[in-house]
């Protein structure tokens, strides 16, 4: 890294200025959506119906109910002990980096920005810890949340065309001094007037830019002053330390998305106006009227809470004038009540339009009619799932891309000692550990052998996982019960049966984690069967019984012959 405290790069100054101007339309819409979500818009109105907040609270667990564990598997489904071991090492390293209190919070912030602003992003940062001698004692990779206000894209049409990205950093004097930067603390980000964070005098706005074309990272201010410049400190797939962002509604002609609020802004304004009108009418409702001033005690009848009898001094005079009915006249509320009911009915119609646009079906909101059939509710639920499935897949893609970047950074930056301290001891002691680690450090081999996916991010998929575990257990049990007799009778089939058993373990996520141990067990099982195949077959029990019967018969015949000879000898002796 080179430091240029006085260098002005006019090219990057112009590129940055152009990108900020192109982002302004999106930024204004996203900020307005955020203010409405935070109840900071239209504060002069007393009543709002916060459907946006309600829908957001529903979408967050729908898109991300839990942080998924990294699941790593090989692209080639073959017998490869080193590849299996490399998958286990990779998975444990990535899980170690994202396991903790920080990542779930950062990921939730990104998904929240994605829902109401239309853009969510994480940025993977490498943090080493040094001792007094300057040696690394601890290494950590942390995916950090980047607000939609702090993320900058090259003004192109699609993400695939983007050659540089940037994020805004608010640098304190302490950090600037540690890095040797001479920054301007009076400069605020262009287009950020009114941003209470960027205008703090103890914060300097610095942009960190990653350029794919020049393969350089630079830190600069919007004046064009280059604070630091150098080559990429590590190599990752895609070149950027951030995944493809979570984009809301977008078109192939503009890389910046459109916040969802833009599509329901008119309906939301109507709902708020009707809510405010209903609130004003409800303020008018109440017991209002006039009474005969000569009977002043009548005021206590209306204003007193609870049961009470009010004494009247001139009771006879009150009766002569028609009693209480003639002494008190109440203001008619029928027209106000009718207007209030009409206002609430009109609001329900606009709410129906709002839900039709957003696709928030009643079944998702937990609000269904008791007269709806089960098939009608299921159809409504299926439609809602279709509307939300694309976003769910995008969130899962976003998490998987983040895990890939963490893995690339870890095996490009971490020392062997750091990796050995992360993974399990039995994995480190495995004879193929060094070979598997070298495979992971080889970018080409890692991209060819390994594939990273994320587990289900939805709570509803927990039952699916339990069903998969049960299915896996039953499949292995049924297979062993069927093939063991075959293997005993036909040992020459051991190789084929062993490969089939390995494929069963590779198919299920739970089985892949035990594949390393199964690999050796299956090999030993197949060898034992093959050894038995080389041995002569055991004798047939029926044949053995026949041979035994034959031997017994021969022994009896011999015994009978000997007895006959003995008798003949005795007879001959008697004759002589």
């Amino acid at each position: 890294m080179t430091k240029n405290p006085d260098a002005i790069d006019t090219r990057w100054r112009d590129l940055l200025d152009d990108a900020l101007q192109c982002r302004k339309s999106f930024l204004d819409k996203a900020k307005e959506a955020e203010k409405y979500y935070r109840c900071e818009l239209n504060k002069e109105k007393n009543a709002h119906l916060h459907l946006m907040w309600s829908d957001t609270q529903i979408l967050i667990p729908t898109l991300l109910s839990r942080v998924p564990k990294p699941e790593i598997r090989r692209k080639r489904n073959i017998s490869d002990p080193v590849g299996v071991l490399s998958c286990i090492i990779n998975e444990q390293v990535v899980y170690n980096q994202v396991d903790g209190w920080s990542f779930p919070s950062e990921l939730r912030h990104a998904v929240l920005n994605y829902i109401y602003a239309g853009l969510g992003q994480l940025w993977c940062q490498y943090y080493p810890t040094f001792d007094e001698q300057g040696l690394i004692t601890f290494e950590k990779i942390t995916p950090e949340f980047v607000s939609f206000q702090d993320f900058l894209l090259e003004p192109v049409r699609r993400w695939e065309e983007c050659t540089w990205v940037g994020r805004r950093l608010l640098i304190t004097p302490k950090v600037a001094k540690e890095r040797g930067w001479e920054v301007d603390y009076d400069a605020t980000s262009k287009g950020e007037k009114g941003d209470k964070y960027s205008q703090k005098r103890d914060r300097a706005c610095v942009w960190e830019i990653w350029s794919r074309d020049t393969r350089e990272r630079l830190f600069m201010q919007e004046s064009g002053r280059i604070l630091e410049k150098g080559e990429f400190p590590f190599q990752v797939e895609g070149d950027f330390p951030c995944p493809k962002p979570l984009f809301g509604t977008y078109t192939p002609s503009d890389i910046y998305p459109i916040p969802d609020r833009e599509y329901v802004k008119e309906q939301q304004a109507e709902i708020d106006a009707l809510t405010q009108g209903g609130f004003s009418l409800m303020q008018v409702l109440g017991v209002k009227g006039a009474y005969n001033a000569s009977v002043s005690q009548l005021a206590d009848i209306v204003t007193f809470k609870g049961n009470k009898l009010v004494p009247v001094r001139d009771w006879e005079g009150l009766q002569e004038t028609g009693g209480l009915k003639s002494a008190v006249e109440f203001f008619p509320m029928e027209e106000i009540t009718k207007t209030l009911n009409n206002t609430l009915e009109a609001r329900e119609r606009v709410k129906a339009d709002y839900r039709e646009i957003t696709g928030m079906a009643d079944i998702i909101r937990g609000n269904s009619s008791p007269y709806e059939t089960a098939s009608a509710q299921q159809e409504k639920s299926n439609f809602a799932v279709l509307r939300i499935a694309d976003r769910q897949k995008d969130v899962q893609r976003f998490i998987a891309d983040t895990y890939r970047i963490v893995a690339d950074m870890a095996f490009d930056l971490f020392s062997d000692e750091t990796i050995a301290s992360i993974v399990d001891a039995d994995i480190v002691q495995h004879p193929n550990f060094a070979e598997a680690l070298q495979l992971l450090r080889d970018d080409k081999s890692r991209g060819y052998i390994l594939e990273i996916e994320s587990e289900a991010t939805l709570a509803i998929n927990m039952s699916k996982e339990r069903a998969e575990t049960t299915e896996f257990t039953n499949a292995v049990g049924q297979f062993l019960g069927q093939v063991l007799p075959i293997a005993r009778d036909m040992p020459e089939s051991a190789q084929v049966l062993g490969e089939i058993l390995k494929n069963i373990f590779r198919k299920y996520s739970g089985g892949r984690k035990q594949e390393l141990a199964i690999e050796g067990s299956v090999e030993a099982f197949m060898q034992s069967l093959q050894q038995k195949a080389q041995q002569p077959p055991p004798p047939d029990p029926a044949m053995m019984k026949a041979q035994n019967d034959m031997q017994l018969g021969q022994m009896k015949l011999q015994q009978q012959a000997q007895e006959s000879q003995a008798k003949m000898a005795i007879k001959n002796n008697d004759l002589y």
Side-chain angles (χ1 to χ4, degrees):
M1 272 292 179
T2 58
K3 296 178 174 60
N4 304 286
D6 298 321
I8 301 296
D9 192 321
T10 56
R11 172 180 173 271
W12 274 110
R13 181 190 62 191
D14 295 341
L15 288 175
L16 192 62
D17 184 63
D18 182 50
L20 291 172
Q21 292 300 322
C22 293
R23 187 187 68 155
K24 190 175 185 306
S25 175
F26 157 75
L27 198 61
D28 292 341
K29 297 173 183 177
K31 281 185 174 181
E32 181 179 313
E34 184 178 50
K35 287 183 178 179
Y36 191 86
Y37 179 74
R38 294 174 55 87
C39 300
E40 296 176 355
L41 204 63
N42 299 328
K43 291 184 177 180
E44 66 277 2
K45 294 183 179 180
N46 297 324
H48 296 276
L49 187 63
H50 295 285
L51 293 178
M52 179 182 178
W53 176 87
S54 175
D55 292 346
T56 302
Q57 299 309 303
I58 294 173
L59 285 173
I60 289 177
T62 303
L63 299 177
L64 181 71
S65 66
R66 55 175 180 159
V67 177
K69 294 180 180 180
E71 179 184 305
I72 302 175
R73 59 188 177 93
R74 293 160 293 157
K75 292 183 178 179
R76 295 183 299 174
N77 192 14
I78 60 175
S79 179
D80 181 13
V82 177
V84 174
L85 186 63
S86 65
C87 289
I88 297 175
I89 297 172
N90 201 345
E91 186 173 301
Q92 291 187 4
V93 169
V94 175
Y95 181 70
N96 178 269
Q97 302 306 299
V98 300
D99 182 32
W101 61 268
S102 174
F103 180 66
S105 175
E106 302 296 295
L107 181 58
R108 181 181 174 87
H109 292 334
V111 173
L112 182 61
N113 264 195
Y114 168 54
I115 292 174
Y116 68 72
L119 190 150
Q121 185 58 293
L122 293 172
W123 193 286
C124 297
Q125 187 71 28
Y126 171 65
Y127 290 103
T129 302
F130 301 91
D131 59 11
E132 296 178 354
Q133 288 76 29
L135 300 176
I136 295 178
T137 58
F138 181 77
E139 296 176 279
K140 180 71 175 178
I141 297 172
T142 304
E144 299 176 344
F145 163 68
V146 180
S147 171
F148 67 89
Q149 303 182 53
D150 299 330
F151 187 66
L152 190 63
L153 291 159
E154 181 186 9
V156 292
R157 295 172 298 180
R158 300 182 300 118
W159 168 259
E160 290 72 20
E161 300 174 0
C162 191
T163 62
W164 63 266
V165 296
R167 65 167 175 168
R168 182 178 64 167
L169 305 173
L170 300 179
I171 303 299
T172 62
K174 179 182 178 181
V175 174
K177 183 178 180 181
E178 291 175 351
R179 305 200 66 157
W181 295 346
E182 295 181 9
V183 297
D184 182 7
Y185 290 95
D186 294 329
T188 58
S189 181
K190 295 179 181 179
E192 300 291 325
K193 305 301 181 183
D195 186 346
K196 57 185 177 181
Y197 298 108
S198 63
Q199 289 186 350
K200 286 186 176 181
R201 296 301 179 183
D202 61 344
R203 295 286 193 276
C205 177
V206 176
W207 286 95
E208 178 184 358
I209 306 293
W210 285 65
S211 175
R212 177 183 293 160
D213 288 346
T214 59
R215 304 198 66 79
E216 62 182 3
R217 178 180 69 167
L218 54 94
F219 296 87
M220 62 177 295
Q221 292 194 279
E222 292 178 15
S223 61
R225 176 186 293 179
I226 304 297
L227 304 175
E228 194 171 313
K229 187 176 183 179
E231 297 180 352
F232 284 175
F234 48 81
Q235 301 296 327
V236 297
E237 183 181 355
D239 296 324
F240 299 142
C242 59
K244 177 182 178 181
L246 286 169
F247 286 127
T249 303
Y250 67 95
T251 61
S253 59
D254 190 355
I255 195 170
Y256 281 106
I258 305 168
D260 288 349
R261 185 175 182 271
E262 293 298 309
Y263 297 95
V264 292
K265 184 188 295 186
E266 292 79 7
Q267 286 74 22
Q268 187 66 68
E270 290 182 47
I271 292 172
D272 286 344
L274 291 170
T275 302
Q276 180 64 39
F279 177 77
S280 301
L281 290 172
M282 291 179 67
Q283 296 293 101
V284 177
L285 290 177
V287 179
K288 304 178 186 299
Y291 65 91
N292 190 342
S294 61
V295 190
S296 59
Q297 298 88 347
L298 295 179
D300 295 337
I301 297 177
V302 178
T303 59
F304 186 80
K305 296 180 180 179
N307 302 323
K308 184 179 182 181
L309 294 175
V310 178
V312 179
R313 296 185 179 88
D314 187 11
W315 178 260
E316 292 78 5
L318 179 63
Q319 293 297 320
E320 292 176 357
T321 57
L324 290 176
K325 292 183 179 180
S326 61
V328 179
E329 185 72 24
F330 290 100
F331 185 82
M333 292 291 171
E334 291 79 6
E335 292 299 325
I336 296 178
T337 304
K338 182 179 179 180
T339 303
L340 176 60
N341 292 333
N342 292 337
T343 301
L344 296 179
E345 290 177 1
R347 190 182 69 169
E348 288 300 317
R349 289 193 293 269
V350 180
K351 283 171 59 179
D353 294 339
Y354 178 95
R355 291 172 180 169
E356 185 73 20
I357 296 173
T358 60
M360 298 298 293
D362 293 342
I363 195 69
I364 287 184
R365 300 176 57 87
N367 179 24
S368 59
S369 172
Y371 302 104
E372 288 182 338
T373 62
S375 59
Q377 293 187 10
Q378 183 63 38
E379 183 179 355
K380 190 185 298 184
S381 177
N382 292 338
F383 177 75
V385 170
L386 290 175
R387 293 288 298 266
I388 205 68
D390 189 55
R391 290 194 172 192
Q392 291 172 343
K393 291 180 181 178
D394 202 26
V395 171
Q396 293 174 8
R397 185 273 313 163
F398 178 74
I399 298 173
D401 289 349
T402 303
Y403 288 164
R404 289 191 186 98
I405 295 174
V406 171
D408 287 346
M409 292 176 61
F411 294 106
D412 193 59
L413 297 172
F414 284 2
S415 64
D416 293 351
E417 292 76 12
T418 299
I419 295 176
S421 65
I422 292 174
V423 301
D424 296 338
D426 58 334
I427 300 299
V428 178
Q429 297 172 2
H430 196 279
N432 294 330
F433 176 76
E435 185 178 356
L437 185 56
Q438 185 59 40
L439 178 66
L440 289 168
R441 294 192 183 281
D442 187 343
D443 292 338
K444 295 181 180 179
S445 296
R446 183 166 72 248
Y448 179 67
I449 296 294
L450 303 179
E451 194 174 57
I452 300 178
E453 293 182 352
S454 62
E455 291 179 347
T457 58
L458 309 179
I460 57 178
N461 282 342
M462 295 177 66
S463 59
K464 181 180 178 181
E465 292 179 4
R466 289 192 291 268
E468 180 180 311
T469 302
T470 303
E471 182 183 358
F472 169 69
T473 305
N474 294 336
V476 173
Q478 292 177 3
F479 177 79
L480 293 176
Q482 294 173 0
V483 304
L484 285 178
I486 300 175
R488 293 191 187 98
D489 296 337
M490 301 176 60
E492 62 275 9
S493 65
Q495 185 70 30
V496 177
L497 298 177
E499 291 300 326
I500 294 175
L501 182 59
K502 290 179 185 179
N503 286 330
I504 293 176
F505 273 85
R506 296 183 191 123
K507 180 179 179 181
Y508 296 94
S509 59
R512 285 196 296 269
K513 297 177 182 178
Q514 288 81 30
E515 187 179 351
L516 188 64
I518 293 299
E519 189 86 22
S521 300
V522 172
E523 291 293 338
F525 175 69
M526 290 189 299
Q527 290 178 4
S528 65
L529 291 179
Q530 290 174 354
Q531 290 175 0
K532 292 181 179 179
Q534 297 174 359
Q535 297 176 357
D540 188 5
M543 292 293 296
M544 292 181 63
K545 185 177 182 303
Q547 291 176 359
N548 291 334
D549 294 342
M550 185 180 296
Q551 291 176 0
L552 290 174
Q554 291 176 354
M555 292 175 62
K556 288 181 179 180
L557 291 174
Q558 291 176 1
Q559 184 178 2
Q560 291 176 359
Q562 291 176 358
E563 290 178 354
S564 298
Q565 291 177 359
K567 291 179 180 180
M568 290 294 295
I570 293 172
K571 289 180 178 181
N572 292 332
N573 290 334
D574 292 340
L575 292 174
Y576 295 104

